[in-house]
Amino acid sequence: MDMMTRIASLTAACLTDTWPEAQGLPGADEIRGLLAVPPNPEMGDYAFPCFRLAKALRMAPPKIALALVEGWHHEDVARVEAVNGYLNFFLNRVNFAGETLNAVLAAGDHYGASDEGAGKTVCLDYSSINIAKRFHIGHLSTTMIGHSLRRIYDHLGYRTVSINHLGDWGTQFGKMICAYKKWGSREAVEQQGVNELVRLYVKFHEEAEKEPALEDEGRAWFKKIEDGDEEARSIWSWFKEITLRDTARVYDLLGVSFDSYAGESFYMDKMEPVIDVLREKNLLTVSQGASVVDLSEDDMPPCIILRSDGASLYHTRDLAAAVYRQNTYHFDKCLYVVAYQQDLHFRQLFRVLEKMGYPWAKDCVHVAFGMISYEGQALATRKGHVVYLEDLLEQAQQKALAIIEEKSPELPNKAEVARQVGIGAVVYADLCNNRIKDIDFSWERALNFDGETGPYVQYTHARCCSVLRKAEALSLPEPDMNALTDDEAQALLRLLGRFPDVIREAANRYEPSLITRAVTDIAQAYNKFYYEHRILDDDAAAASARVRLTEATRNVIRTGLYLVGIEAPERM
Ligand code: ARG
């Protein structure tokens, strides 16, 4: 049990001991939520505001605080003070240091892991790229938020299923085949990959402006794909292969992988039963020839299920996908990590699932995130305001390499470290803010080694590793925890102690940035501690305690970075 939880349950017990008759007193969980870390150490290590109790006890908060101080006794707390309606706790710093370090060091890479997810399944739909389009920074957030959430849920003991819901269906593929047959070649596609597919698509639209009949040809090719025509199908699946081959390079760099690539086309033969249910439940109405689910009661536009020509839509495939996922994986939660622009799409989708009578509709969550722009400009492929992820990652690595060449030219495996740092900078810049916030990507910010950045946290981790390498050469005695009672060490210990809560909170709020924030705070607290205190001190027992704190810090930073998909080099 971490210290805050313990103080909360002791406070709850103290409350019922002091006022055994009182009704409506908060329990340990609620108290836990009310406990705060005061802004300065004179006010204690933790503070509990008594205001919430005033009504139940019909007493003024300062009086309540005074009465609680009387009843509070425990060896972990050196002193409790009542100040202006607050209960201020001063920890027994020696005990706190010893316990926190034991908890962190005993857990190793599993610190903060739990079995709260045992027997439960979370499906995560993320990245979900579109075939024959290049992977640009607009798809970075979905990829990294999804990847991080997957690791977080794994850490908490859930079974996770990561799904890349490929955009691989629609008339555009007919147009692309048409363009390929007219102006393309197998060699060009093999060599240029997605770039060539994009070129063909653009070419198709240019030509179709002059010769509108092309549109019909494109549609005819798509019809062939739908009808299972062998040639059409084989070109279409080859386009998929080419796209996935190009994308695999980016996924490899980012360390991202998927359990399933079941995309939109996968649901071709799975929509019929869903449409049957909609019919049986009388949910379908015809509007201008199209079959729709009316959502006017929910103040939403109708959800279109079939177009007037009978063709399925994005919604139809998503309905089939949700049902398939529930039937196949029996998920307890299905997360869709998709930009907030698709907010309406998902609200409609979930509402239709609810109307179909699926109780699990409430377990579907749209994990929305903000827009990304590039150095102040909106991403726009046509205007050339677009940054391809592969180029971005390449440049990031080059920049990191240049900095390493300058600052630590003697470092072994420079290219490898440059890869870890370059990618880490980009990923950190993407995951450091609340996900719903719009992001303006800037090279300046992403590759700054100081301040709140990926390289800064990685650098602190490497610094810990370096201290530990030096310490290894010494044979240190049992640690003396009295060496960790200063404010800097205690501030760091508090952050380490609450890290498991941060992981849980990040899962509950689908918010990897909480972990990015926590590792940054830990790095800053460690550096403060490092500058204020000599770690490898002449007093060997004190040195031993500081080394243990360093080791705990390294472990937590490494685990935290792992959970947000960033590597932690040991030297840089
Ligand atoms: N391919 C879509 C896009 O790039 C995202 C798909 C998200 N997942 C889903 N099940 N709709 O916008």
Side-chain angles (χ1 to χ4, degrees):
M1 204 195 298
D2 76 308
M3 191 56 77
M4 267 171 123
T5 309
R6 190 174 315 169
I7 289 180
S9 63
L10 291 167
T11 305
C14 180
L15 263 174
T16 37
D17 286 352
T18 316
W19 292 284
E21 312 283 287
Q23 301 285 315
L25 293 176
D29 281 349
E30 194 182 333
I31 295 179
R32 175 76 174 72
L34 292 167
L35 278 177
V37 176
N40 70 60
E42 283 104 76
M43 294 157 82
D45 297 295
Y46 298 110
F48 173 64
C50 299
F51 308 94
R52 155 77 183 73
L53 306 171
K55 212 172 148 213
L57 296 172
R58 285 195 222 100
M59 231 170 136
K63 278 216 167 128
I64 300 173
L66 281 170
L68 283 174
V69 166
E70 287 301 307
W72 230 97
H73 302 286
H74 196 273
E75 69 208 44
D76 283 339
V77 173
R79 187 154 53 91
V80 187
E81 284 178 359
V83 182
N84 300 331
Y86 279 89
L87 223 50
N88 291 343
F89 299 98
F90 295 80
L91 293 185
N92 177 331
R93 294 188 161 199
V94 174
N95 286 7
F96 178 57
E99 284 188 27
T100 307
L101 291 185
N102 280 344
V104 177
L105 294 171
D109 286 338
H110 297 287
Y111 185 53
S114 76
D115 53 9
E116 69 163 68
K120 293 194 192 130
T121 298
V122 180
C123 287
L124 301 105
D125 175 326
Y126 60 96
S127 205
S128 301
I129 52 160
N130 298 320
I131 295 302
K133 297 240 173 78
R134 280 197 71 179
F135 203 152
H136 62 71
I137 54 172
H139 272 99
L140 183 61
S141 297
T142 165
T143 306
M144 294 321 298
I145 294 171
H147 178 58
S148 171
L149 289 176
R150 179 201 193 179
R151 287 188 169 180
I152 292 169
Y153 279 102
D154 279 339
H155 202 72
L156 295 176
Y158 292 82
R159 174 173 79 122
T160 56
V161 183
S162 58
I163 305 167
N164 198 329
H165 185 80
L166 300 177
D168 59 359
W169 201 251
T171 38
Q172 70 269 31
F173 296 102
K175 296 177 185 177
M176 232 170 278
I177 294 182
C178 177
Y180 167 72
K181 300 283 282 182
K182 287 186 191 301
W183 311 292
S185 76
R186 185 158 272 274
E187 298 71 53
V189 173
E190 285 292 346
Q191 274 165 24
Q192 311 290 323
V194 177
N195 284 342
E196 172 67 4
L197 298 179
V198 172
R199 185 190 74 83
L200 289 171
Y201 192 57
V202 171
K203 172 100 173 152
F204 180 92
H205 283 283
E206 284 165 7
E207 297 294 324
E209 296 238 314
K210 293 177 252 164
E211 200 194 325
L214 274 177
E215 295 282 354
D216 293 330
E217 268 185 65
R219 263 192 291 275
W221 271 109
F222 181 59
K223 182 89 177 51
K224 284 189 173 187
I225 306 179
E226 280 185 304
D227 295 344
D229 173 84
E230 210 171 299
E231 186 189 11
R233 279 282 168 114
S234 90
I235 301 177
W236 165 78
S237 49
W238 173 54
F239 286 174
K240 272 176 74 167
E241 261 167 52
I242 293 287
T243 311
L244 289 176
R245 183 193 74 190
D246 281 11
T247 318
R249 288 197 301 269
V250 177
Y251 286 146
D252 281 350
L253 278 173
L254 296 171
V256 170
S257 62
F258 297 90
D259 299 314
S260 161
Y261 280 89
E264 297 189 38
S265 69
F266 179 77
Y267 300 101
M268 272 309 99
D269 57 352
K270 298 174 182 63
M271 290 182 290
E272 223 22 73
V274 173
I275 295 166
D276 288 345
V277 175
L278 288 167
R279 283 217 178 88
E280 274 162 33
K281 305 232 163 180
N282 273 327
L283 292 169
L284 284 188
T285 49
V286 176
S287 159
Q288 294 167 351
S291 301
V292 309
V293 178
D294 179 69
L295 295 174
S296 55
E297 274 181 12
D298 304 284
D299 279 331
M300 287 189 270
C303 179
I304 308 175
I305 306 295
L306 293 173
R307 277 200 325 231
S308 50
D309 63 359
S312 66
L313 288 106
Y314 184 43
H315 262 135
T316 329
R317 298 188 281 276
D318 255 331
L319 281 173
V323 171
Y324 175 85
R325 288 171 191 174
Q326 177 55 228
N327 291 342
T328 310
Y329 307 116
H330 312 289
F331 61 74
D332 295 273
K333 220 170 231 184
C334 182
L335 309 183
Y336 295 82
V337 186
V338 185
Y340 70 60
Q341 280 95 329
Q342 294 192 30
D343 173 65
L344 177 62
H345 170 81
F346 287 106
R347 281 193 294 127
Q348 290 174 304
L349 175 67
F350 302 160
R351 186 66 189 117
V352 173
L353 289 169
E354 209 176 309
K355 278 176 167 285
M356 289 170 85
Y358 297 122
W360 47 263
K362 63 171 190 340
D363 304 319
C364 296
V365 183
H366 177 201
V367 177
F369 56 84
M371 266 192 358
I372 188 159
S373 54
Y374 178 70
E375 312 230 309
Q377 304 204 309
L379 300 184
T381 318
R382 268 168 303 146
K383 291 193 205 146
H385 294 169
V386 64
V387 183
Y388 296 113
L389 209 44
E390 201 165 10
D391 299 342
L392 170 65
L393 297 177
E394 179 55 38
Q395 284 202 47
Q397 294 178 78
Q398 277 175 20
K399 270 209 169 179
L401 186 60
I403 295 172
I404 292 168
E405 293 284 7
E406 189 199 314
K407 294 199 177 167
S408 12
E410 71 302 329
L411 187 76
N413 58 352
K414 279 184 272 205
E416 169 72 357
V417 177
R419 181 185 65 76
Q420 297 173 315
V421 174
I423 309 285
V426 172
V427 172
Y428 184 101
D430 196 65
L431 292 184
C432 66
N433 290 312
N434 207 307
R435 65 181 152 79
I436 206 66
K437 240 179 105 171
D438 291 338
I439 301 179
D440 184 39
F441 185 86
S442 120
W443 285 108
E444 274 287 310
R445 267 197 302 278
L447 280 182
N448 182 359
F449 272 49
D450 313 307
E452 300 186 353
T453 62
Y456 169 77
V457 179
Q458 288 173 317
Y459 182 77
T460 309
H461 173 266
R463 164 174 279 167
C464 292
C465 292
S466 149
V467 169
L468 294 173
R469 279 193 297 273
K470 283 185 200 130
E472 230 168 64
L474 316 167
S475 64
L476 292 171
E478 277 298 296
D480 176 5
M481 293 300 159
N482 283 298
L484 300 181
T485 54
D486 60 89
D487 290 347
E488 292 78 25
Q490 291 283 315
L492 175 56
L493 285 160
R494 269 201 300 269
L495 293 171
L496 298 178
R498 63 178 286 268
F499 188 67
D501 286 339
V502 175
I503 301 178
R504 236 173 291 133
E505 177 98 1
N508 291 341
R509 287 169 46 190
Y510 317 113
E511 192 60 90
S513 67
L514 296 178
I515 293 183
T516 321
R517 178 77 258 152
V519 290
T520 309
D521 291 344
I522 289 169
Q524 280 167 343
Y526 181 78
N527 287 323
K528 200 157 177 217
F529 167 74
Y530 180 89
Y531 286 118
E532 298 284 334
H533 304 276
R534 250 180 74 82
I535 296 196
L536 299 177
D537 194 52
D538 301 336
D539 177 345
S544 176
R546 292 189 182 128
V547 167
R548 284 176 74 81
L549 179 55
T550 301
E551 190 182 345
T553 304
R554 180 205 53 185
N555 289 4
V556 175
I557 293 182
R558 189 171 59 199
T559 302
L561 287 177
Y562 173 81
L563 292 176
V564 291
I566 297 178
E567 288 183 56
E570 298 196 350
R571 298 169 199 257
M572 61 184 272

